[in-house]
Amino acid sequence: MSNLIVSFDPGASLTKIVYELATEGKPHLMTMEPEMLKLPQSSIDAYMSSRKGLESPKPADEAWVSSPANGDTQCTVVGFLARQFSASARLDKLKYETSIHKALAVIGAIAQHNKLPNRFSLSLTSLLPYGEYQNRQAFEQQLQSALKDFRFRGQRLRVKLEKFECLPEGAGLAMIRQRQNGKEWFNAQTIAVLMFGHRNTSLLLFERGKMTAGYTNGLGFHQMVKRVIERTSGQDATALTSASMQPVQISRLITKQFAL
């Protein structure tokens, strides 16, 4: 059994995580803001030297990662700290492309918060829109390579990815129906699942217990937020996103619980 089990949704409105330590056997919930930003190491050093003595944020709220072993002189700042630097959620990029550094930040934050050793094993489940589901092998390969040797807030971590599973967004809802009604019922049905996300909307079709089709478009909640800002004054995208994401957050958290 892996030392750490993580179910991870790198959402465009909020990164949602359910994790379990092998030594505890109970789930924990963690969230991180979706913003990301690349900065030179010197900027992080200047930030750290300017911190006041009273400040002692949690690792998840002061997260940055780097890969100095690959000659990388830059850091990727993730989450709440990136928001302080006015970073963006990078909706212009594919979700799996931005998820590598988010995953490193999540794993690093969990490791530091729970005082895990510098080396440990990991089982990870992640979600991608159906339109990116075909990239799951590339996602796994890049993630496995990145986890082997990286730094989180200056601490070197070497993580062995023992197990990786990638599910299309919405699959967990179908899994819930299967658990509620049994496999025999599920295998006799045709079920369509609609997943309304902040970045996009996906449709999954299950026939006789098998996912036979899927579709993803760009009509996510961020389009609504953008239009509200364009047509009204004094609105803030962060506040509007927080208000619009609540039902999506709940459904995705359910998805991750059953993905574990």
Side-chain angles (χ1 to χ4, degrees):
M1 182 178 180
S2 300
N3 303 122
L4 177 63
I5 301 171
V6 177
S7 194
F8 161 70
D9 179 8
S13 57
L14 193 70
T15 298
K16 285 83 68 179
I17 308 104
V18 177
Y19 72 91
E20 181 178 309
L21 301 173
T23 55
E24 292 185 357
K26 63 178 182 179
H28 300 269
L29 172 65
M30 188 174 83
T31 61
M32 292 179 69
E33 285 75 11
E35 286 84 356
M36 293 175 54
L37 181 67
K38 276 190 173 288
L39 290 175
Q41 181 64 50
S42 58
S43 295
I44 296 297
D45 295 339
Y47 162 77
M48 290 298 294
S49 64
S50 68
R51 276 179 47 181
K52 299 177 177 61
L54 290 174
E55 297 178 354
S56 183
K58 295 185 297 184
D61 293 332
E62 193 181 66
W64 69 89
V65 297
S66 61
S67 300
N70 298 329
D72 188 0
T73 59
Q74 288 191 317
C75 296
T76 301
V77 185
V78 182
F80 182 71
L81 181 59
R83 181 171 288 182
Q84 309 313 299
F85 284 97
S86 301
S88 72
R90 301 308 307 267
L91 295 177
D92 56 316
K93 287 186 171 289
L94 293 175
K95 191 170 188 177
Y96 92 95
E97 292 178 335
T98 61
S99 296
I100 302 298
H101 288 101
K102 286 185 179 182
L104 296 181
V106 165
I107 302 307
I110 294 172
Q112 283 197 355
H113 179 72
N114 293 280
K115 296 180 173 56
L116 295 182
N118 291 348
R119 293 174 183 262
F120 57 90
S121 58
L122 169 70
S123 292
L124 180 70
T125 297
S126 186
L127 301 175
L128 288 176
Y130 182 82
E132 296 184 42
Y133 187 54
Q134 67 269 25
N135 301 120
R136 60 191 180 277
Q137 290 184 336
F139 183 25
E140 179 181 5
Q141 291 170 358
Q142 293 176 31
L143 185 59
Q144 188 172 45
S145 176
L147 284 166
K148 286 181 179 178
D149 191 359
F150 72 101
R151 293 184 186 272
F152 177 77
R153 303 172 80 219
Q155 178 187 358
R156 189 176 187 181
L157 295 173
R158 294 183 173 183
V159 181
K160 181 181 179 181
L161 185 61
E162 288 189 336
K163 182 180 178 182
F164 177 81
E165 184 175 13
C166 185
L167 298 172
E169 294 177 352
L173 298 177
M175 292 167 68
I176 291 173
R177 297 291 287 171
Q178 184 190 76
R179 285 200 176 191
Q180 289 173 336
N181 298 289
K183 287 187 177 181
E184 185 175 344
W185 175 89
F186 186 78
N187 291 343
Q189 306 300 313
T190 297
I191 299 175
V193 178
L194 278 172
M195 173 58 72
F196 297 93
H198 188 71
R199 182 190 301 263
N200 45 40
T201 298
S202 294
L203 167 69
L204 304 180
L205 183 65
F206 294 85
E207 296 179 284
R208 300 183 185 182
K210 183 178 180 181
M211 187 172 66
T212 57
Y215 174 74
T216 297
N217 63 29
L219 298 178
F221 279 116
H222 75 99
Q223 299 281 4
M224 178 186 70
V225 171
K226 181 180 178 181
R227 291 192 178 187
V228 170
I229 292 174
E230 289 173 348
R231 298 183 183 187
T232 58
S233 60
Q235 298 295 334
D236 176 74
T238 300
L240 289 173
T241 297
S242 178
S244 68
M245 63 161 283
Q246 296 304 319
V248 181
Q249 179 180 356
I250 293 170
S251 64
R252 286 183 174 175
L253 286 176
I254 293 172
T255 298
K256 289 191 292 300
Q257 289 274 15
F258 282 85
L260 285 172

